[in-house]
Structures are given as structure tokens and as C-alpha cells.
Amino acid sequence: MRLVIDCFKLVKGKGKSIGIYNLAQSLVQHLTATNKSGEHCEEIIVLGNEYNRKDFDIPGIRFVLMKGNPLNKLTCMVWELFLVPGKARKYRADRILFPRGYRPLFYRGKDTVIIHDLIPFYYDKHFPGVLNRFENAYIMSRLKASMKHADRIITISEFSRKEIDAMCPGSGSRVNVIYNGLNKVEASEEKCALSPQGPYIYATASKLPHKNAAGVLKTYDAYFHQTDNPARLVVVGIPGTEEFEISEEAYVTCYKYIERTEDMHSLLAGARAFLFLSLIEGFGFPPLEAMQLGVPVVSSDRTALAEVVGDAGLLTDPDNYAQTVECLNRVLEDEELRAGLIQKGYANVKRFDWDSRIAAYWEELSR
């Protein structure tokens, strides 16, 4: 088998696809590491760009630099709609893998798309106008076409599988759930310079409504006013609280972005609790990263998060602030509960080791 992987549109830090970029990078690395003697396929070819060459042009890969600017939307549309089939023929692909989930309009060979989530449809229904209407309509049409016509579909949770089946009835026999692999995260032994004094809660969010920064801050505001000695809140992903409703006296520190990954992980590792109140996720890495670092998790019970977190964290309705405050108080004050959640977290992350993930990928790609 000659496997071609389409990474032309992947540019780290651009657009909303950092998770997809990281998955594609890790997947290529692990596929290559487990195919050193060619036991799975004859050749792995990555179609890439000048921006991602440093991550994908690795030993064991035939990296092909594609012409064109992947940051130009028209170039990307022409690429994914019309140009990929010609490249597949040129490099004699037995199967082509599309990590971003979009297959060409006209392709008759064997292909596999990875559908991570159906969040564009969620925005169309719940937050119309937040995303560019034309762009979101295009993405939805491309996802529908890919789900309908792809030879095989990989998705990353049972929740997403059910969403695909509802959107594209009868697709079940072509869909395989392969959970994301979890890369090891490590924190420095030294205290992070960004850490506030005293105990603190770490939360991730963004300005995108489904990441629910408003819910995080409203929950903390309720917690702050109901607690005699409240822990501070550190939110990573938003620049400040000015756009949200929260008391001026609340102990909140915001970081829109933390440049060094080591600093981010060290800041997380020092927290007393991790709060994640996303409204929709196709998978959900942040709670698992907190578990890896021994931080008890309070997570939204929505969408895929319930199956990813399981009983290794406290699940809560993100719209029920009283319930979430109660979960926070339990995690912060009950040492027996904390110890139990930490141990369950360590056990839970083992479900997402790359060895089992990559074996499932090779089995799927060889169909």
C-alpha cells in the first residue's frame, strides 16, 4: 500500500485548526515510527507546504512540497475541490488520508476522512452570525459531501459518530471511532513565574462562544461570593474580563496566550483544580492533560466530554452555576475526593495511549 496524507492546508497557529494540526503531526510521526521496515505500507507520502515542512518532513516520510499559498482561501478551495485527485494519481496512492475531513469533489480511489466534530452545524443553529456566514456554509456543505461520499470515515468519539449518523443516515458501516492519542505532557519542577500567590483554579476558554468563557466567569463569580476564602482563577485563552459579566473585586487573571508550552503546563500543574465548561467538543484534550499532571477536573457534561472524562472528573451542567460551584468546592476542600480523582485521572489517560491508537489506524487504513 502507498499511503498519501494531505497536509497542504495545515498551518500551525493559523485558523481554528491547532488541534487538527497537532493530531496530524502526531499521527504522521507514529505511523512512520511503526512502519520502519515497511510492514504496514510501502511508502508514506505527505503533501505539505513551506510552513509545515519542519514538522512533517521527517525520516521515513516522502515529503512533497506543494505549490501555492495555504493561507490563501481561494487557493485552498481550488486545492481541496479539484487538485488533490491529480496528486493522488501522480504519486500512485492506494489510499489517501484527509486529516482535516474534506475530500475532493471528484475522486474515485480509496480515501479516508477524519471528521473531528460537527461544530460548524452547531454554530449555524445556536450562534448564527458569529462565524462568517459564507465560509461556514461552505464548510458545512463540504463536510456533508465528504461524509456522504468518502470510502471510509474516522471520527474521534462516539458522540461524533452519532452526530455523523444523524447528519448522514446509513453511514454507520463506513465509520470507525478511533479516540485521539494523548501526547505526554510534563511540567517543570520549578514553580511557574505566571502562577498567582495562593491556591488557584485553572480554566481554559476562548472568545469563541462554544468555549464558554462567559460561563466560566459567571461560575467563578458565584463561587467567589459564596466562599469565605476563595481560590483565585486563572483563565488561559482570553485577554481579559472586560467583555464579560463579573465583579471587579473577583480574583481573576487572564492570559490570551502562553508562548512557552512548558510554562502553560507548569501553570496547570500548580492548580488546585481544572475547570472546563465547553458547550461542545468532538473529543476534549484539556481535561486529559490536567489528569496527566495530577490536577482534579471539573468538566462540562456536554457532548463528547462525558465519555472522555468518565468518572475520573466531576461532570456538571455548564449552565447550572450552583451545581458547578458545588463541584468546585468539593474538589478544592475534600482531600479524600481529590486523591481519588487524581488516581482515577492517571488511570483514565491510559485509555488514550498512542500504541493502541496507531494500531487501530493501521487496521483501518489497510481496509
Side-chain angles (χ1 to χ4, degrees):
M1 176 179 70
R2 184 174 283 103
L3 175 64
V4 172
I5 305 176
D6 176 20
C7 296
F8 172 70
K9 291 178 62 177
L10 296 177
V11 179
K12 195 167 191 174
K14 300 297 181 181
K16 306 176 184 70
S17 58
I18 184 65
I20 296 176
Y21 187 101
N22 290 338
L23 172 67
Q25 182 183 358
S26 295
L27 182 58
V28 167
Q29 291 173 345
H30 285 279
L31 288 173
T32 305
T34 53
N35 192 54
K36 289 181 178 178
S37 56
E39 61 264 44
H40 294 290
C41 74
E42 174 186 346
E43 188 176 27
I44 303 174
I45 301 167
V46 169
L47 309 180
N49 60 61
E50 60 181 308
Y51 300 100
N52 64 27
R53 183 168 197 160
K54 65 183 186 302
D55 291 326
F56 291 101
D57 191 359
I58 60 177
I61 287 292
R62 182 182 175 189
F63 182 88
V64 183
L65 182 64
M66 296 289 103
K67 295 180 180 180
N69 182 5
L71 299 178
N72 182 284
K73 291 182 179 180
L74 180 59
T75 297
C76 288
M77 289 175 64
V78 173
W79 168 263
E80 73 175 24
L81 288 173
F82 306 112
L83 299 184
V84 178
K87 302 301 179 183
R89 289 191 297 270
K90 179 177 179 178
Y91 297 106
R92 296 180 293 144
D94 295 303
R95 181 170 291 279
I96 185 164
L97 175 65
F98 298 100
R100 281 181 57 89
Y102 309 119
R103 74 186 303 275
L105 281 179
F106 309 104
Y107 184 64
R108 299 185 181 277
K110 290 185 176 182
D111 68 304
T112 301
V113 296
I114 303 178
I115 304 292
H116 301 265
D117 55 58
L118 299 184
I119 288 177
F121 299 93
Y122 180 85
Y123 269 80
D124 185 60
K125 180 178 180 180
H126 296 283
F127 299 110
V130 170
L131 302 180
N132 180 285
R133 286 185 177 274
F134 173 79
E135 185 176 355
N136 204 48
Y138 172 77
I139 291 172
M140 289 191 295
S141 68
R142 296 292 298 116
L143 280 173
K144 283 183 178 180
S146 294
M147 287 186 283
K148 183 177 180 180
H149 298 292
D151 175 54
R152 298 292 301 171
I153 300 170
I154 294 172
T155 193
I156 58 177
S157 63
E158 285 294 334
F159 167 77
S160 290
R161 181 191 62 76
K162 292 175 182 177
E163 291 280 284
I164 292 169
D165 189 58
M167 186 69 62
C168 188
S171 61
S173 62
R174 296 182 291 118
V175 181
N176 187 4
V177 176
I178 303 179
Y179 285 133
N180 283 331
L182 181 63
N183 293 326
K184 187 176 181 179
V185 298
E186 296 179 322
S188 170
E189 294 182 2
E190 299 179 2
K191 182 180 179 181
C192 179
L194 302 176
S195 300
Q197 293 296 318
Y200 60 93
I201 302 161
Y202 182 110
T204 59
S206 81
K207 285 190 174 182
L208 289 170
H210 79 281
K211 292 297 185 181
N212 200 20
V216 168
L217 293 172
K218 285 180 180 178
T219 295
Y220 180 74
D221 201 40
Y223 159 80
F224 179 83
H225 287 98
Q226 295 172 23
T227 307
D228 292 334
N229 189 24
R232 294 179 177 272
L233 176 68
V234 175
V235 186
V236 177
I238 58 174
T241 62
E242 293 79 10
E243 298 181 23
F244 305 96
E245 296 180 11
I246 189 168
S247 304
E248 291 184 5
E249 65 270 22
Y251 305 143
V252 181
T253 302
C254 298
Y255 297 102
K256 182 178 181 180
Y257 179 72
I258 297 177
E259 184 72 29
R260 282 169 36 91
T261 302
E262 296 85 352
D263 289 339
M264 183 173 63
H265 290 158
S266 294
L267 182 62
L268 173 56
R272 288 282 290 174
F274 175 68
L275 181 62
F276 192 66
L277 297 182
S278 181
L279 302 178
I280 179 171
E281 294 288 333
F283 184 73
F285 275 116
L288 296 179
E289 292 175 345
M291 290 178 189
Q292 272 195 324
L293 295 170
V295 180
V297 169
V298 175
S299 170
S300 165
D301 61 1
R302 300 278 175 89
T303 62
L305 290 168
E307 66 184 277
V308 171
V309 173
D311 68 350
L314 296 187
L315 295 171
T316 183
D317 178 352
D319 292 328
N320 188 330
Y321 306 129
Q323 181 187 87
T324 308
V325 168
E326 181 183 357
C327 289
L328 281 175
N329 281 322
R330 290 177 62 200
V331 161
L332 292 167
E333 299 171 7
D334 187 334
E335 292 300 328
E336 184 177 351
L337 173 65
R338 288 178 55 79
L341 289 176
I342 290 170
Q343 292 306 313
K344 286 182 178 180
Y346 289 146
N348 187 47
V349 297
K350 293 179 181 178
R351 293 196 290 146
F352 309 99
D353 67 286
W354 264 111
D355 288 343
S356 59
R357 303 305 92 212
I358 213 65
Y361 263 96
W362 277 125
E363 182 179 355
E364 173 59 39
L365 293 171
S366 64
R367 288 173 178 261

Coordinates of all heavy atoms in Angstrom, one line a residue, residues 16 20 102 115-128 130-131 136-137 139-140 143 147 155-156 159-160 163-164 167 206 208-211 276 278-284 303-305:
K16 N -8.6 27.9 12.9 CA -9.1 27.4 14.2 C -8.7 25.9 14.3 O -9.4 25.1 14.9 CB -10.6 27.5 14.2 CG -11.1 29.0 14.0 CD -12.6 29.0 14.0 CE -13.1 30.5 13.7 NZ -12.8 30.9 12.3
I20 N -6.3 20.0 15.1 CA -6.2 19.1 13.9 C -4.7 19.0 13.4 O -4.2 18.0 13.1 CB -7.1 19.6 12.7 CG1 -8.5 19.5 13.2 CG2 -6.8 18.8 11.5 CD1 -9.5 20.1 12.2
Y102 N -12.0 16.9 4.7 CA -12.6 17.4 3.4 C -12.0 16.6 2.3 O -10.8 16.7 2.1 CB -12.4 18.8 3.2 CG -12.8 19.7 4.4 CD1 -11.9 20.5 5.0 CD2 -14.1 19.7 4.8 CE1 -12.3 21.4 6.1 CE2 -14.5 20.5 5.9 CZ -13.6 21.3 6.5 OH -14.0 22.1 7.6
I115 N -13.2 13.0 10.5 CA -14.2 14.0 10.9 C -14.1 14.2 12.4 O -14.4 13.3 13.2 CB -15.7 13.6 10.6 CG1 -15.8 13.2 9.1 CG2 -16.7 14.6 11.0 CD1 -15.7 14.4 8.2
H116 N -13.6 15.4 12.8 CA -13.3 15.6 14.3 C -14.6 16.0 15.0 O -14.8 15.6 16.1 CB -12.3 16.7 14.4 CG -11.0 16.3 13.7 ND1 -9.9 15.8 14.4 CD2 -10.6 16.5 12.4 CE1 -9.0 15.6 13.5 NE2 -9.3 16.0 12.3
D117 N -15.4 16.8 14.4 CA -16.6 17.3 15.0 C -17.5 17.9 14.0 O -17.1 18.1 12.8 CB -16.4 18.3 16.2 CG -15.5 19.5 15.7 OD1 -16.0 20.2 14.8 OD2 -14.4 19.7 16.2
L118 N -18.7 18.3 14.4 CA -19.7 19.0 13.5 C -20.0 20.3 14.1 O -21.1 20.8 14.0 CB -20.9 18.1 13.3 CG -20.7 16.8 12.7 CD1 -22.1 16.1 12.5 CD2 -20.0 16.9 11.4
I119 N -19.0 21.0 14.7 CA -19.2 22.3 15.3 C -19.7 23.4 14.3 O -20.5 24.2 14.8 CB -17.9 22.7 16.0 CG1 -17.6 21.9 17.2 CG2 -17.9 24.2 16.4 CD1 -16.4 22.2 18.0
P120 N -19.4 23.4 13.1 CA -20.0 24.4 12.2 C -21.5 24.3 12.1 O -22.2 25.4 12.1 CB -19.4 24.0 10.8 CG -18.0 23.4 11.1 CD -18.3 22.6 12.4
F121 N -22.1 23.1 12.2 CA -23.5 23.0 12.2 C -24.1 23.5 13.6 O -25.2 24.1 13.6 CB -23.9 21.5 12.0 CG -23.5 21.0 10.7 CD1 -22.3 20.3 10.6 CD2 -24.2 21.1 9.6 CE1 -21.8 19.8 9.4 CE2 -23.8 20.6 8.3 CZ -22.6 20.0 8.2
Y122 N -23.3 23.3 14.6 CA -23.7 23.8 16.0 C -23.8 25.4 15.9 O -24.8 26.0 16.4 CB -22.7 23.3 17.0 CG -23.0 23.8 18.4 CD1 -23.9 23.1 19.2 CD2 -22.4 24.9 18.9 CE1 -24.2 23.5 20.5 CE2 -22.7 25.4 20.2 CZ -23.5 24.6 21.0 OH -23.8 25.1 22.3
Y123 N -22.8 26.0 15.3 CA -22.8 27.4 15.2 C -24.0 27.9 14.3 O -24.6 29.0 14.6 CB -21.5 27.9 14.7 CG -20.5 28.2 15.8 CD1 -19.8 27.2 16.4 CD2 -20.3 29.5 16.2 CE1 -18.9 27.5 17.4 CE2 -19.4 29.8 17.3 CZ -18.7 28.8 17.9 OH -17.9 29.0 18.9
D124 N -24.2 27.2 13.3 CA -25.3 27.6 12.4 C -26.6 27.6 13.1 O -27.5 28.5 12.8 CB -25.4 26.7 11.2 CG -26.4 27.1 10.1 OD1 -26.2 28.2 9.6 OD2 -27.3 26.3 9.9
K125 N -26.8 26.7 14.1 CA -28.1 26.6 14.8 C -28.1 27.5 16.0 O -29.1 28.1 16.3 CB -28.2 25.1 15.2 CG -29.5 24.9 16.0 CD -29.7 23.4 16.3 CE -31.0 23.1 17.1 NZ -31.1 21.7 17.5
H126 N -27.0 27.5 16.8 CA -27.1 28.2 18.1 C -26.4 29.6 18.1 O -26.8 30.4 18.9 CB -26.4 27.3 19.1 CG -27.0 26.0 19.4 ND1 -28.2 25.9 20.1 CD2 -26.7 24.8 18.9 CE1 -28.6 24.6 20.2 NE2 -27.7 23.9 19.5
F127 N -25.5 29.8 17.2 CA -24.8 31.1 17.2 C -24.7 31.6 15.8 O -23.6 31.9 15.3 CB -23.4 31.0 17.8 CG -23.3 30.6 19.2 CD1 -22.9 29.3 19.6 CD2 -23.8 31.4 20.2 CE1 -22.9 28.9 20.9 CE2 -23.8 31.0 21.6 CZ -23.3 29.7 21.9
P128 N -25.8 31.8 15.1 CA -25.8 32.3 13.7 C -25.2 33.7 13.6 O -25.5 34.6 14.5 CB -27.2 32.3 13.3 CG -28.0 32.4 14.5 CD -27.2 31.6 15.5
V130 N -22.0 34.5 14.2 CA -20.7 34.6 14.9 C -19.6 34.3 13.9 O -18.6 35.0 13.9 CB -20.7 33.7 16.1 CG1 -19.3 33.7 16.7 CG2 -21.7 34.2 17.2
L131 N -19.8 33.3 13.1 CA -18.8 32.9 12.1 C -19.2 33.5 10.8 O -20.4 33.8 10.6 CB -18.7 31.4 12.0 CG -18.3 30.6 13.2 CD1 -18.2 29.1 12.9 CD2 -17.0 31.1 13.8
N136 N -18.9 29.5 6.7 CA -19.5 28.4 7.4 C -20.4 27.6 6.6 O -20.4 26.3 6.7 CB -20.2 29.0 8.7 CG -20.4 27.9 9.8 OD1 -19.4 27.3 10.1 ND2 -21.6 27.8 10.3
A137 N -21.1 28.2 5.7 CA -22.0 27.5 4.8 C -21.2 26.6 3.8 O -21.5 25.4 3.6 CB -22.8 28.4 3.9
I139 N -18.2 25.3 4.6 CA -17.6 24.2 5.4 C -18.7 23.2 5.6 O -18.4 22.0 5.5 CB -17.1 24.8 6.7 CG1 -15.8 25.6 6.5 CG2 -16.8 23.7 7.7 CD1 -15.4 26.4 7.7
M140 N -19.9 23.6 5.9 CA -21.0 22.6 6.2 C -21.2 21.8 4.9 O -21.4 20.6 5.0 CB -22.2 23.3 6.6 CG -22.1 23.9 8.1 SD -23.7 24.4 8.7 CE -24.1 25.8 7.6
L143 N -18.4 19.3 4.5 CA -18.4 18.2 5.4 C -19.5 17.2 5.1 O -19.3 16.0 5.1 CB -18.7 18.7 6.8 CG -17.5 19.3 7.6 CD1 -17.9 20.0 8.9 CD2 -16.5 18.2 7.9
M147 N -18.8 13.3 4.2 CA -19.4 12.2 4.9 C -20.2 11.3 4.0 O -20.2 10.1 4.1 CB -20.4 12.8 6.0 CG -19.6 13.4 7.2 SD -20.8 13.9 8.5 CE -21.4 15.4 7.8
T155 N -13.7 8.9 13.0 CA -14.1 10.0 13.9 C -13.6 9.7 15.3 O -13.1 8.6 15.6 CB -15.6 10.3 14.0 OG1 -15.9 11.5 14.6 CG2 -16.4 9.1 14.7
I156 N -13.6 10.7 16.2 CA -12.8 10.7 17.4 C -13.6 10.4 18.7 O -13.0 10.5 19.8 CB -11.9 11.9 17.5 CG1 -12.8 13.2 17.5 CG2 -10.9 12.0 16.4 CD1 -12.0 14.5 17.7
F159 N -19.8 10.2 20.5 CA -20.7 11.4 20.3 C -20.6 11.8 18.8 O -21.7 12.0 18.2 CB -20.3 12.5 21.2 CG -21.0 13.8 20.8 CD1 -22.3 14.0 21.2 CD2 -20.3 14.8 20.2 CE1 -22.9 15.2 20.8 CE2 -20.9 16.0 19.8 CZ -22.2 16.2 20.1
S160 N -19.4 12.0 18.3 CA -19.3 12.5 16.9 C -19.8 11.4 15.9 O -20.4 11.8 14.9 CB -17.8 12.8 16.6 OG -17.4 13.9 17.3
E163 N -23.5 11.9 15.8 CA -23.8 13.1 15.0 C -23.6 12.9 13.5 O -24.5 13.4 12.7 CB -22.8 14.2 15.5 CG -23.0 14.7 16.9 CD -24.1 15.7 17.0 OE1 -23.9 16.9 16.5 OE2 -25.2 15.3 17.4
I164 N -22.6 12.1 13.1 CA -22.4 11.8 11.7 C -23.6 11.0 11.2 O -24.1 11.2 10.1 CB -21.1 11.1 11.5 CG1 -19.9 12.1 11.7 CG2 -21.0 10.6 10.1 CD1 -18.6 11.4 11.8
M167 N -26.6 13.1 10.7 CA -26.4 14.0 9.5 C -26.4 13.2 8.2 O -26.9 13.7 7.2 CB -25.1 14.8 9.7 CG -24.9 15.9 8.6 SD -26.0 17.3 8.8 CE -25.5 17.9 10.4
S206 N -12.0 30.6 25.3 CA -11.6 31.5 24.2 C -12.8 32.4 24.0 O -13.8 32.3 24.6 CB -11.2 30.7 23.0 OG -12.4 30.3 22.3
L208 N -14.5 32.3 21.3 CA -15.5 31.6 20.6 C -16.6 31.1 21.6 O -16.3 30.5 22.6 CB -14.9 30.3 19.9 CG -14.0 30.6 18.7 CD1 -13.2 29.4 18.3 CD2 -14.8 31.2 17.5
P209 N -17.8 31.4 21.3 CA -18.9 31.1 22.3 C -19.0 29.7 22.8 O -19.3 29.4 23.9 CB -20.2 31.4 21.5 CG -19.8 32.4 20.4 CD -18.4 32.0 20.0
H210 N -18.6 28.7 21.9 CA -18.7 27.3 22.4 C -17.7 26.9 23.5 O -17.9 26.0 24.2 CB -18.7 26.3 21.2 CG -17.3 26.0 20.7 ND1 -16.6 26.9 19.9 CD2 -16.5 24.9 20.9 CE1 -15.5 26.3 19.6 NE2 -15.3 25.2 20.2
K211 N -16.7 27.7 23.6 CA -15.7 27.5 24.7 C -16.1 28.1 26.0 O -15.5 27.8 27.0 CB -14.3 28.1 24.3 CG -13.6 27.4 23.1 CD -13.3 25.9 23.4 CE -12.5 25.3 22.3 NZ -12.2 23.8 22.6
F276 N -13.3 23.2 33.1 CA -13.5 23.2 31.6 C -15.0 23.1 31.3 O -15.6 22.0 31.6 CB -12.8 22.0 31.0 CG -12.7 22.0 29.5 CD1 -11.9 22.9 28.9 CD2 -13.3 21.0 28.8 CE1 -11.8 23.0 27.5 CE2 -13.2 21.0 27.4 CZ -12.4 22.0 26.8
S278 N -16.8 23.8 28.3 CA -17.1 23.9 26.9 C -18.5 23.4 26.6 O -19.0 22.4 27.3 CB -16.1 23.1 26.1 OG -16.3 23.2 24.7
L279 N -19.2 24.0 25.7 CA -20.5 23.6 25.3 C -20.6 22.4 24.3 O -21.6 21.7 24.2 CB -21.3 24.8 24.8 CG -21.4 26.0 25.8 CD1 -22.2 27.1 25.1 CD2 -22.1 25.5 27.1
I280 N -19.5 22.3 23.5 CA -19.5 21.2 22.5 C -18.0 20.9 22.2 O -17.2 21.8 22.0 CB -20.2 21.6 21.2 CG1 -20.1 20.4 20.2 CG2 -19.8 22.9 20.6 CD1 -21.0 20.6 19.0
E281 N -17.7 19.6 22.2 CA -16.4 19.1 21.9 C -16.5 17.8 21.1 O -17.4 17.0 21.5 CB -15.5 18.9 23.1 CG -15.2 20.1 23.9 CD -14.2 21.0 23.2 OE1 -13.4 20.5 22.4 OE2 -14.2 22.2 23.5
G282 N -15.7 17.6 20.1 CA -15.7 16.4 19.4 C -14.9 15.4 20.2 O -15.0 14.1 20.0
F283 N -14.0 15.9 21.0 CA -13.2 15.0 21.9 C -12.9 15.7 23.2 O -13.6 15.5 24.2 CB -11.8 14.6 21.2 CG -11.0 13.7 21.9 CD1 -11.3 12.3 22.0 CD2 -9.8 14.1 22.6 CE1 -10.6 11.4 22.7 CE2 -9.0 13.2 23.3 CZ -9.4 11.9 23.3
G284 N -11.9 16.5 23.3 CA -11.6 17.3 24.5 C -10.3 16.9 25.2 O -10.2 16.1 26.1
T303 N -21.8 16.8 25.3 CA -21.2 16.1 24.0 C -20.2 15.0 24.4 O -20.5 14.1 25.1 CB -20.7 17.2 23.1 OG1 -19.6 17.9 23.7 CG2 -21.8 18.2 22.7
A304 N -19.0 15.1 23.8 CA -18.0 14.0 23.9 C -17.3 14.0 25.3 O -16.7 13.1 25.7 CB -17.0 14.1 22.8
L305 N -17.5 15.1 26.1 CA -16.7 15.2 27.3 C -17.1 14.2 28.3 O -16.2 13.7 29.1 CB -16.9 16.6 27.9 CG -16.2 17.7 27.1 CD1 -16.6 19.1 27.6 CD2 -14.7 17.6 27.2

